Amino acid sequence: MKINDFLNDNFIILKTMYDNQVTVLNETQIPLSQIQIADALGYSKNKVYSVFKKLQQEGYIEAIGKGKYRLSIVIIETMEKLDKELKGDQ
């Protein structure tokens, strides 16, 4: 069994967003569109749209302009912690 067997679509999309964050003028954002994320993951546009909608409702991501998003601090901290734990840097 691999770790991917335990990952759901919400996590996979959040991880993709986390791994592709950039900082522009002191603002961290995700430069990928929903369509680019769908293409990169092999998901349908509708699937990514519905996950984005749910993640926004739950406060995990925030729209900061047309097609621009950022992750909540809770998600950033969680992803950083997971990265450290998976690398064994506890």
Side-chain angles (χ1 to χ4, degrees):
M1 226 179 256
K2 299 176 187 169
I3 194 164
N4 287 343
D5 296 333
F6 299 98
L7 304 178
N8 65 28
D9 296 330
N10 295 354
F11 177 81
I12 291 168
I13 289 172
L14 285 169
K15 180 73 168 128
T16 300
M17 294 173 77
Y18 174 77
D19 289 343
N20 288 283
Q21 295 180 97
V22 297
T23 301
V24 178
L25 299 175
N26 294 324
E27 184 176 276
T28 301
Q29 58 186 328
I30 291 79
L32 302 175
S33 69
Q34 290 183 33
I35 293 171
Q36 289 171 313
I37 291 171
D39 289 344
L41 297 175
Y43 290 171
S44 72
K45 292 178 241 174
N46 289 337
K47 181 179 201 170
V48 172
Y49 173 79
S50 67
V51 170
F52 263 60
K53 187 174 179 180
K54 180 179 178 183
L55 294 173
Q56 283 183 285
Q57 290 170 343
E58 305 239 347
Y60 297 134
I61 64 174
E62 176 186 357
I64 56 171
K66 185 176 173 133
K68 293 184 182 178
Y69 299 89
R70 75 171 146 227
L71 300 172
S72 73
I73 190 68
V74 171
I75 293 299
I76 292 170
E77 289 172 351
T78 301
M79 292 296 185
E80 288 171 352
K81 184 177 179 183
L82 282 171
D83 276 349
K84 285 181 185 176
E85 288 180 14
L86 290 172
K87 291 176 184 170
D89 298 336
Q90 298 180 5

